[in-house]
Amino acid sequence: MLALMARRQDLTSRFIGNFTQQEPIPEAAIEAAIRVMRTGRLHRYNLANGEVGEAAELELEFAALTGARYCLAVTSGGYALATALRAAGARPGDKVLTNGFTLAPVPGAIANAGCVPHFVEITEDLVIDLGDLEDKIRESHARFLMLSHMRGHICDMDRLMSLCDGENVQVIEDCAHTMGASWNGVPSGRHGLVACYSTQTYKHLNSGEGGLIISDDADLMARATMLSGSYMLYDRHKAGPGSETFADIRLDTPNCSGRMDNLRAAILRPQLAALASQVAAWNARYRVVEEGLGNLSGLKLIERTPQEVFVGSSIQFLLPGWPAAKINDLLAACAARGVELKWFGAAEPSGFTSRYTSWRYAPAQVLPETDRILDALMDMRLPLTFSLDDCALIASIIRDEVIRLGR
Ligand SMILES: *Cc1c(COP(=O)(O)O)cnc(C)c1O
């Protein structure tokens, strides 16, 4: 009888949380925001005597956290990527390599710089395929790779960098999903020439919109600073190159305004100080879901390598060989029980989920491996508003439905 009741409970249990609900902004950040508003000095260059300003302080703190020599705060992650690419020397018409599996702001940033996205295959571990990358470098003669650490999956960065260094390809890292992650002890974003992060609401820090660029290259960062719209006030940046670097760059570089303001920076600084504990909280949730979906026939989890310290703010798995109709049934069955799965195999882009064939401004390409993987790829957010028990319930619902529909 008890067993029967437990079974009944299993089949009807429903999750009632919200997959897009982030945590509230911490009180310290709210207080910091109010302090800035009371001064009226929201523009980053509007400073009282001797004041550094929240935007410049944030840049100093993010540079220190990542170990980068320079940091620049801007309006969005997508703006950061386009600006980094231009500042790295990409010219309109240049081909820029990028992962076949990424999100719209990445090819969008390449197009924004007047460049042309050229997609590279991914592997079943959801990272860029280094063999295909080598082929595509040789056939395209591209000088830039915008490497997307999509959904926090980091490829073998030592092999990638030795390939790109050997071929004179500059690497711009998209770290929208790897803020707080590392590879072999090196923070994600510290392998390539320049790296970009997002502080948009669904990322690892939340200022609504926002972006950060880091690099050790003084000329590149001077160009990025001028592009971001620093007028001639670059000496108010404390994590930027010295004014001698700007001698020509300040006159040769257009102003394409995209500065971060002091209000957003104020909201971000207390969150940055708490990043490590947030990462631990995400990973605890990730591991509960991962364990709940383990050893399940028909479902393949993505193995994480020991070199990779990742941030489990979302989880992915593959349903290899499942026909589209059955995947749609699974999506519907999980949705009916409150679990919001996203499928990268759908023909039409929906919400944040799209695939390379939906970016028709890029030249048409066929990536058979990427297609095969995306057709089987499921994706789920893990906001920190979920408890560990929530995560266990979510995993058990997916597990039930995969078993029920998978046979
Ligand atoms: C969010 C995101 C970005 C940056 O997006 P913004 O919304 O412009 O901050 C870049 N790459 C990926 C993979 C993203 O998910």
Side-chain angles (χ1 to χ4, degrees):
M1 183 64 194
L2 260 179
L4 236 173
M5 275 176 66
R7 199 178 129 79
R8 215 185 125 71
Q9 161 84 28
D10 269 348
L11 289 171
T12 55
S13 59
R14 198 171 181 284
F15 177 64
I16 52 165
N18 180 338
F19 280 78
T20 52
Q21 182 60 57
Q22 303 293 61
E23 291 181 301
I25 298 302
E27 285 306 317
I30 293 172
E31 279 163 23
I34 289 171
R35 274 200 301 278
V36 169
M37 288 191 284
R38 291 218 159 100
T39 69
R41 293 190 291 278
L42 271 61
H43 193 286
R44 66 168 299 158
Y45 299 131
N46 188 198
L47 301 170
N49 237 343
E51 190 178 30
V52 172
E54 294 285 337
E57 297 277 16
L58 173 69
E59 289 164 345
L60 283 170
E61 288 164 5
F62 197 69
L65 182 88
T66 52
R69 195 169 298 156
Y70 309 116
C71 176
L72 175 70
V74 296
T75 45
S76 75
Y79 181 91
L81 287 167
T83 302
L85 186 58
R86 287 184 71 176
R91 291 283 161 267
D94 284 356
K95 280 186 183 165
V96 177
L97 298 160
T98 192
N99 313 44
F101 171 48
T102 184
L103 287 182
V106 177
I110 295 171
N112 194 5
C115 301
V116 182
H118 194 75
F119 297 106
V120 180
E121 294 267 31
I122 57 160
T123 72
E124 282 203 358
D125 295 327
L126 308 185
V127 296
I128 199 161
D129 181 324
L130 296 179
D132 192 52
L133 176 60
E134 187 166 0
D135 293 346
K136 295 254 160 76
I137 291 172
R138 298 208 169 126
E139 75 189 36
S140 69
H141 306 291
R143 296 183 301 126
F144 299 95
L145 165 65
M146 189 171 280
L147 175 67
S148 184
H149 303 296
M150 177 62 177
R151 288 295 184 254
H153 298 276
I154 305 178
C155 72
D156 182 333
M157 289 305 295
D158 303 325
R159 274 188 59 205
L160 179 127
M161 286 314 300
S162 92
L163 170 62
C164 290
D165 289 346
E167 299 282 343
N168 274 319
V169 169
Q170 305 288 5
V171 178
I172 292 112
E173 294 187 70
D174 165 27
C175 300
H177 304 166
T178 55
M179 181 190 283
S182 61
W183 170 264
N184 243 347
V186 178
S188 181
R190 295 293 293 141
H191 293 87
L193 173 66
V194 53
C196 301
Y197 304 77
S198 169
T199 63
Q200 189 236 74
T201 293
Y202 301 110
K203 311 299 161 91
H204 300 168
L205 304 179
N206 177 7
S207 59
E209 306 286 353
L212 293 158
I213 304 175
I214 58 165
S215 178
D216 287 346
D217 187 304
D219 285 351
L220 183 157
M221 288 304 281
R223 283 192 290 269
T225 305
M226 292 311 298
L227 282 167
S228 80
S230 84
Y231 302 100
M232 292 297 154
L233 301 170
Y234 40 78
D235 61 335
R236 297 189 189 175
H237 289 248
K238 302 303 171 203
S243 45
E244 65 291 348
T245 314
F246 288 84
D248 289 321
I249 288 172
R250 77 201 164 105
L251 305 173
D252 292 337
T253 313
N255 174 325
C256 305
S257 285
R259 297 167 300 273
M260 181 175 284
D261 55 275
N262 285 330
L263 184 55
R264 283 180 203 179
I267 293 172
L268 289 170
R269 291 180 59 210
Q271 295 181 56
L272 187 62
L275 180 63
S277 61
Q278 298 289 87
V279 170
W282 263 305
N283 289 351
R285 283 154 184 76
Y286 183 98
R287 291 301 187 194
V288 168
V289 176
E290 185 185 49
E291 196 180 313
L293 296 179
N295 290 319
L296 184 51
S297 110
L299 182 150
K300 186 173 176 287
L301 289 164
I302 314 298
E303 231 171 275
R304 315 293 312 226
T305 57
Q307 292 98 317
E308 188 189 14
V309 171
F310 64 95
V311 183
S313 50
S314 69
I315 188 163
Q316 293 70 44
F317 57 87
L318 298 169
L319 299 171
W322 283 46
K326 220 161 79 167
I327 292 187
N328 277 319
D329 289 347
L330 179 73
L331 290 171
C334 288
R337 296 178 67 182
V339 174
E340 214 177 289
L341 291 175
K342 303 285 181 197
W343 179 36
F344 274 95
E348 278 296 311
S350 116
F352 290 94
T353 313
S354 57
R355 51 195 282 160
Y356 72 94
T357 46
S358 18
W359 305 319
R360 290 202 312 218
Y361 52 85
Q365 272 183 261
V366 181
L367 306 175
E369 268 302 285
T370 301
D371 287 341
R372 185 179 66 77
I373 294 159
L374 294 184
D375 285 349
L377 179 60
M378 311 303 288
D379 177 39
M380 187 172 72
R381 289 179 197 281
L382 291 174
L384 290 177
T385 46
F386 291 0
S387 67
L388 295 180
D389 286 345
D390 289 341
C391 292
L393 174 60
I394 290 165
S396 80
I397 289 172
I398 298 171
R399 192 177 182 93
D400 279 0
E401 297 302 334
V402 166
I403 292 170
R404 192 170 66 81
L405 292 162
R407 43 173 149 256

